[in-house]
Amino acid sequence: MRQPETKKSCQNNEGQQEVEELNSSRAFLQCLELILPWLTSQELANVSLTSKSLNQISKSITHRRSSDASRSSENLPIPFQNTADDRPYAYFIYTPSQILPSFASQFRRQSWGSGGSSAGPNSAGRLCVEPVSLVDELGESVSGCDCQSCEDDDRCPCIGLNGSDVASECGPSCGCGLECRKRLTQRGVSLRLKIVRDRRKGWGLFADQFIGKGQFVCEYAGELLTTKEATRRQEMYDERLSGAHLSSALLVLREHLPSGKACIRMNIDATRIGNVARFINHSCDGGNLSTKLVRSTAALLPRICFFSSRDIKENEELSFSYGETRLRSNGLQCFCGSSCCFGTLPSEHT
């Protein structure tokens, strides 16, 4: 008479065990969903080969990565598109603004491809650093404007455009908000862009909409280096990339002071940590983008920003001139396709 009860008890135990195993499996997969987005592309590819479940999760992460290079750090997603080969995206750590190497060293990894992201154009999730501010002779921070609205250029001390290559904006000490029209370049990428792969040039940045002349496109973001460190890194990149169809994303810009007796040199390396500007290719004819130094009131360092130098059509590649100097005999081949192409990319001894 007790045998049916024993059988029923065994069935209950087996059912409970199956439920526990199912819950354990779900918890394990949820854990993987949190861990795998932190892996590099090579690590993710290796993990995907270990099991069917991991392969499916890896594919989902890869799809999300290819759908937005900015990891939700910009106002609009910036997708990768590739019909040239089997690379779905380019792996790098994203920052929408300049950062110091001491800050960058804390970010060896960055989550990319998770199911949801709390990062946004104005969130704390962005990898960025507060601008270094100017101080006066007494050691106090230089204040900005206290305007409630900066619509009137005559009243606001933060002047508008200073020249063809230099502009000024309200800064960190100003009383106005991010919506102020004198913070145009501080609001991130607000145009639809895409990153497209070419068999010869590699990845390139393209317009995904019409862009009118004079519009702000993006700034060149990355690690702000000393000249000594920039030289060391360029030598390292040259050694590692010799003979490969790769190149670094280290931008050197020199600003000559009005006196003509000195210049300020800025070294921004977007090779490991950068933003979409790292994909802008060179054009020997000057391209369709112009560079402008943008200074924010009370900020010590300017930022390098790109503006459209003419109307740009949808699906047109964005480009600018890397310079005219070609000092290296082994310079990389240029594929800009312009009628005045020199055949090699600009280069100098960093």
Side-chain angles (χ1 to χ4, degrees):
M1 297 294 293
R2 293 180 179 275
Q3 187 173 357
E5 294 180 3
T6 303
K7 185 176 181 180
K8 183 177 181 180
S9 177
C10 291
Q11 291 176 340
N12 289 338
N13 290 336
E14 291 176 356
Q16 184 177 357
Q17 184 177 359
E18 290 178 357
V19 171
E20 290 176 353
E21 290 177 352
L22 180 61
N23 290 335
S24 178
S25 177
R26 287 175 178 172
F28 178 66
L29 292 176
Q30 290 176 349
C31 184
L32 291 176
E33 285 276 9
L34 296 175
I35 296 174
L36 266 58
W38 292 88
L39 301 184
T40 65
S41 52
Q42 185 58 56
E43 291 169 342
L44 188 65
N46 293 337
V47 167
S48 68
L49 301 175
T50 59
S51 72
K52 185 176 180 180
S53 297
L54 287 173
N55 182 267
Q56 292 176 342
I57 297 176
S58 298
K59 285 183 177 180
S60 177
I61 291 174
T62 297
H63 173 72
R64 289 194 289 265
R65 287 183 176 183
S66 63
S67 65
D68 185 13
S70 78
R71 301 151 178 74
S72 300
S73 291
E74 302 291 0
N75 300 294
L76 297 168
I78 306 170
F80 289 94
Q81 293 183 7
N82 186 3
T83 58
D85 53 39
D86 59 354
R87 301 182 187 183
Y89 60 88
Y91 183 86
F92 65 105
I93 294 176
Y94 199 93
T95 175
S97 58
Q98 296 175 4
I99 58 174
L100 301 175
S102 57
F103 185 80
S105 62
Q106 304 174 30
F107 293 87
R108 298 297 179 186
R109 293 179 181 271
Q110 184 182 44
S111 179
W112 185 19
S114 57
S117 173
S118 60
N122 301 310
S123 74
R126 299 180 76 192
L127 174 60
C128 58
V129 66
E130 289 297 319
V132 180
S133 299
L134 289 168
V135 294
D136 59 20
E137 296 178 354
L138 300 177
E140 298 180 354
S141 297
V142 177
S143 61
C145 70
D146 55 1
C147 307
Q148 295 298 319
S149 174
C150 301
E151 295 296 323
D152 192 341
D153 290 340
D154 296 331
R155 295 182 180 180
C156 178
C158 302
I159 307 171
L161 295 180
N162 291 337
S164 59
D165 298 323
V166 181
S168 63
E169 294 185 338
C170 292
S173 300
C174 295
C176 54
L178 193 60
E179 70 283 353
C180 172
R181 72 181 184 90
K182 291 188 179 179
R183 294 181 183 271
L184 173 66
T185 68
Q186 301 171 39
R187 296 192 285 265
V189 178
S190 299
L191 299 171
R192 291 196 303 275
L193 306 174
K194 58 185 177 182
I195 303 165
V196 182
R197 187 161 182 82
D198 180 83
R199 291 186 181 277
R200 298 187 302 174
K201 290 190 288 187
W203 296 107
L205 188 64
F206 283 68
D208 204 22
Q209 67 171 73
F210 171 80
I211 301 176
K213 180 180 178 180
Q215 283 192 265
F216 168 66
V217 178
C218 63
E219 75 169 273
Y220 197 93
E223 297 177 74
L224 189 63
L225 306 179
T226 62
T227 297
K228 181 179 180 180
E229 176 62 15
T231 301
R232 186 193 71 81
R233 290 199 186 185
Q234 189 60 63
E235 291 175 350
M236 178 184 67
Y237 295 149
D238 290 343
E239 182 179 347
R240 290 183 178 181
L241 305 178
S242 178
H245 298 288
L246 299 169
S247 61
S248 67
L250 200 165
L251 177 67
V252 177
L253 185 141
R254 295 177 178 85
E255 179 191 10
H256 293 274
L257 299 181
S259 64
K261 297 180 179 180
C263 73
I264 298 175
R265 168 172 167 155
M266 291 185 64
N267 311 283
I268 301 179
D269 189 6
T271 305
R272 188 179 74 88
I273 304 177
N275 69 339
V276 294
R278 71 194 296 276
F279 297 105
I280 303 177
N281 286 316
H282 163 80
S283 182
C284 292
D285 65 2
N288 49 24
L289 298 179
S290 60
T291 57
K292 190 182 292 288
L293 279 180
V294 178
R295 299 184 182 280
S296 297
T297 302
L300 178 61
L301 301 172
R303 292 176 297 112
I304 301 173
C305 296
F306 292 103
F307 291 80
S308 52
S309 57
R310 58 171 174 79
D311 288 349
I312 300 173
K313 299 177 182 179
E314 184 177 353
N315 297 319
E316 183 178 346
E317 183 175 8
L318 304 178
S319 60
F320 74 106
S321 173
Y322 290 3
E324 299 180 356
T325 306
R326 288 170 173 80
L327 297 180
R328 300 184 187 182
S329 58
N330 59 342
L332 296 175
Q333 187 174 359
C334 179
F335 298 106
C336 71
S338 66
S339 59
C340 58
C341 181
F342 285 90
T344 58
L345 292 174
S347 61
E348 60 179 277
H349 304 297
T350 307

